[in-house]
Amino acid sequence: MTDTPTYVNPLRDPEDRRLPRIAGPCGMVLFGVTGDLARKKVMPAIYDLANRGLLPPGFSLVGFARRDWADQDFAQIVHDAVKTHSRTEFREEVWRQLSEGFRFVPGDFSDDMAFDQLRRTIEELDLVRGTGGNHAFYLSIPPKFFGDVVQQLEEHGLSEQRDGSWRRVVVEKPFGHDLESARELNDSLGRVFPPASVFRIDHYLGKETVQNILAMRFANAMFEPIWNSNYVDHVQITMAEDIGIGGRAGYYDGIGAARDVIQNHLLQLMALIAMEEPTDFRAESLRIEKQKVFESVTLPRRLDLTTARGQYTAGWSGGVKVAGFHDEEGIPQRSKTETFAAITLGIDNRRWAGVPFYLRHGKRLGRRVTEVAVVFKRAPHLPFHASATEELTQNTLVVRVQPDEGLTIRFGSKVPGTHLEIRDVTMDFAYGGSFTESSPEAYERLILDVLLGDPPLFPRHQEVELSWKILDPILDHWARQDQRSGKPDRYQAGTWGPPSADAMMARDGRTWRRP
């Protein structure tokens, strides 16, 4: 006699990922409420989560800033931010319930009295809103203040986790400006919060299409058999922006394209493309596989031939005449900070040996686009006349991260007619045309993950330090070039980067994609 299989109703299965995940009793303290990030991303995302029913009824939001505001003034700031930037429709009943949990604490990061008031405010919210002692501290502030804030949190008992409650800290990039500073930052956070309570936000990892890389690779049998050096010629990872530095001169000068984007966004994308299949999708399993990729990365010997950098000059962008980098307000005429960076990396393991990964990022390029292009090798034999395939290029799979999220496959097909001619065609999948539900903003997913304590998309300190180990030799090489009176190449705004970037690819017999 065989046992009858037990039927598990998926609606009652707590592990069923199809069910919406709703945060338990909790609140958030937002430092830096006057900044663009808080107003344009964090506050609207919190409202959108509430509007979708994913926050607890008693959720609280405490603002902390050097402003002489009352609670209602802070509520008005959040209201204006939500009305302007939220993704979902504004509903008065949702807003009314959410705003009842708003509080504001005035003060600066060295003000002991302000942090005492913050402690009392949190204790009051635990009583009247039922937040249960569970609070996330979101540091939407410059990294140089991280250490000061977490030290104050510790000294005033705000980081202490009692009676099964939790306290977490959330920090935004940049995670240092080199390996040494990243380690110092990690040490200052680690002295107060355990590693599992530190959430480093890389908003690119919260984008729906980035997460779909994992689904595409590991939920489909058609991709993994050819996802290796036997079939892949090279991989191009591009984040192009058509905007300049805007009003960020104070931040951007001395940071540059490589530190700002390649060290975090693009290296994380590369890890997701290159990693081995994890045993499951828990945070630790994903982190192990990504870390293996970073540990296997190799740099070419000749960095002068395999990297490129540049600065944009005046030109046309979107039909508008725009200024060059050195004409931007706040940028010194002698600044050697790059606004374009391209690097070549290898991955020394069985799957990817011999396959170059080309990463590039630039401002004032031809258009705004972020994509990963996996370019396959040519067929070893083409039993066609040369004239029949003269317009045939390499098969390519392109993951479009933004702005038109989706997936494109380029392959050869016969042209209709009586003669045999083969040309490139594309097969396109677009999120907007395939799903009725719009994709949530990255910050919605990431903030909810913080409140749930589910960190699969947050890089841990090991990943941050390994990524700086990859980038630091390139930055040191460029610094030595600068000492020899070298300087970044120039490229006209609205083009696709400096000539040195094209030359870098041409040496390998390849060209950049023009999205």
Side-chain angles (χ1 to χ4, degrees):
M1 180 177 178
T2 59
D3 292 334
T4 303
T6 302
Y7 173 73
V8 178
N9 185 343
L11 296 179
R12 298 181 181 274
D13 182 3
E15 296 299 319
D16 189 344
R17 303 293 284 186
R18 293 170 295 181
L19 294 174
R21 301 178 304 158
I22 302 174
C26 62
M28 177 178 285
V29 179
L30 180 56
F31 293 89
V33 296
T34 59
D36 278 356
L37 177 66
R39 290 186 299 105
K40 294 180 179 179
K41 295 295 183 182
V42 179
M43 295 175 187
I46 288 172
Y47 170 80
D48 289 332
L49 288 171
N51 210 8
R52 295 165 59 201
L54 300 179
L55 295 183
F59 179 82
S60 67
L61 178 64
V62 181
F64 188 105
R66 193 167 51 188
R67 292 288 191 276
D68 187 20
W69 290 345
D71 292 344
Q72 59 267 30
D73 299 321
F74 175 56
Q76 186 62 48
I77 296 295
V78 181
H79 179 274
D80 294 345
V82 166
K83 291 282 282 189
T84 305
H85 301 291
S86 65
R87 180 180 64 89
T88 60
E89 66 175 338
F90 186 84
R91 294 195 293 165
E92 190 62 41
E93 65 274 17
V94 173
W95 171 256
R96 188 164 50 249
Q97 177 174 306
L98 184 64
S99 61
E100 288 175 357
F102 290 169
R103 302 290 187 274
F104 184 76
V105 175
D108 59 39
F109 305 143
S110 61
D111 188 347
D112 288 330
M113 293 181 62
F115 279 87
D116 274 335
Q117 183 181 343
L118 177 61
R119 177 179 50 78
R120 292 192 299 270
T121 300
I122 287 177
E123 290 172 349
E124 180 248 340
L125 288 168
D126 287 340
L127 291 174
V128 302
R129 299 286 289 176
T131 46
N134 302 317
H135 296 274
F137 301 97
Y138 197 123
L139 309 190
S140 181
I141 56 178
K144 63 182 179 181
F145 297 118
F146 288 173
D148 296 335
V149 172
V150 297
Q151 183 177 347
Q152 288 278 35
L153 294 176
E154 181 183 33
E155 290 178 357
H156 292 83
L158 289 162
S159 61
E160 187 177 349
Q161 307 182 43
R162 305 172 185 168
D163 303 324
S165 65
W166 53 258
R167 300 292 168 98
R168 297 169 186 146
V169 65
V170 185
V171 296
E172 289 269 352
K173 78 171 185 72
F175 311 123
H177 60 269
D178 57 14
L179 177 59
E180 182 179 357
S181 60
R183 283 175 170 164
E184 292 174 356
L185 176 58
N186 288 332
D187 288 344
S188 67
L189 295 172
R191 281 193 294 267
V192 178
F193 290 91
S197 297
V198 178
F199 289 72
R200 297 166 181 82
I201 279 195
D202 184 337
H203 70 272
Y204 257 67
L205 297 184
K207 290 183 178 293
E208 199 74 25
T209 321
V210 171
Q211 298 169 50
N212 197 49
I213 290 174
L214 300 176
M216 174 201 70
R217 288 191 56 194
F218 303 126
N220 300 289
M222 68 177 77
F223 297 120
E224 276 303 291
I226 58 172
W227 212 256
N228 54 62
S229 60
N230 293 328
Y231 298 94
V232 175
D233 179 75
H234 70 280
V235 178
Q236 297 185 24
I237 303 178
T238 297
M239 178 182 168
E241 296 182 278
D242 55 5
I243 60 172
I245 63 167
R248 300 174 69 213
Y251 162 77
Y252 199 86
D253 187 41
I255 298 296
R259 287 185 174 96
D260 190 38
V261 170
I262 291 180
Q263 181 270 334
N264 38 74
H265 300 333
L266 299 195
L267 284 176
Q268 285 287 329
L269 282 174
M270 185 186 77
L272 294 175
I273 287 291
M275 63 186 253
E276 296 297 326
E277 181 177 356
T279 55
D280 52 50
F281 283 91
R282 292 181 298 112
E284 184 63 25
S285 301
L286 289 171
R287 187 160 51 249
I288 288 171
E289 298 306 332
K290 286 197 295 179
Q291 189 169 325
K292 288 179 184 177
V293 173
F294 292 137
E295 290 172 342
S296 301
V297 168
T298 60
L299 294 176
R301 293 182 180 178
R302 294 288 302 273
L303 294 178
D304 56 329
L305 303 179
T306 55
T307 67
R309 58 183 178 141
Q311 294 174 332
Y312 63 83
T313 60
W316 293 86
S317 178
V320 178
K321 184 74 172 177
V322 296
F325 177 65
H326 285 123
D327 297 322
E328 300 278 13
E329 184 177 354
I331 296 297
Q333 287 297 307
R334 294 186 177 182
S335 173
K336 295 183 179 181
T337 300
E338 80 281 356
T339 62
F340 176 99
I343 66 174
T344 308
L345 300 177
I347 300 178
D348 189 17
N349 60 23
R350 182 177 291 273
R351 181 186 289 264
W352 295 112
V355 177
F357 284 71
Y358 302 105
L359 282 59
R360 64 171 169 168
H361 163 62
K363 292 186 175 294
R364 288 291 187 213
L365 298 183
R367 61 169 295 208
R368 172 177 172 261
V369 62
T370 301
E371 66 171 36
V372 179
V374 181
V375 183
F376 294 91
K377 295 179 178 179
R378 296 182 183 276
H381 174 64
L382 291 174
F384 310 103
H385 192 275
S387 62
T389 60
E390 60 186 359
E391 297 185 29
L392 186 64
T393 58
Q394 290 166 277
N395 299 155
T396 306
L397 185 150
V398 180
V399 179
R400 302 191 308 275
V401 177
Q402 68 172 16
D404 304 314
E405 293 92 345
L407 191 72
T408 298
I409 300 176
R410 184 177 68 192
F411 58 96
S413 180
K414 179 185 178 300
V415 177
T418 57
H419 62 290
L420 183 61
E421 181 181 358
I422 301 173
R423 291 184 187 172
D424 286 332
V425 296
T426 58
M427 182 181 297
D428 188 72
F429 155 68
Y431 273 92
S434 299
F435 299 104
T436 56
E437 182 179 356
S438 61
S439 297
E441 282 287 328
Y443 276 88
E444 293 176 52
R445 169 67 185 266
L446 295 171
I447 289 173
L448 182 59
D449 283 349
V450 170
L451 301 179
L452 291 166
D454 187 15
L457 298 176
F458 293 80
R460 281 286 176 86
H461 70 275
Q462 298 98 327
E463 295 175 53
V464 173
E465 293 183 10
L466 285 168
S467 64
W468 281 117
K469 285 184 179 180
I470 294 168
L471 192 61
D472 272 0
I474 297 172
L475 297 173
D476 291 344
H477 167 73
W478 289 345
R480 289 192 296 271
Q481 284 186 326
D482 291 342
Q483 292 173 355
R484 296 193 297 267
S485 300
K487 58 184 179 181
D489 288 348
R490 302 292 191 263
Y491 64 96
Q492 189 175 22
T495 63
W496 282 97
S500 56
D502 293 325
M504 181 187 97
M505 296 290 279
R507 292 186 189 98
D508 291 345
R510 301 182 176 99
T511 58
W512 289 110
R513 279 176 45 81
R514 295 290 188 261

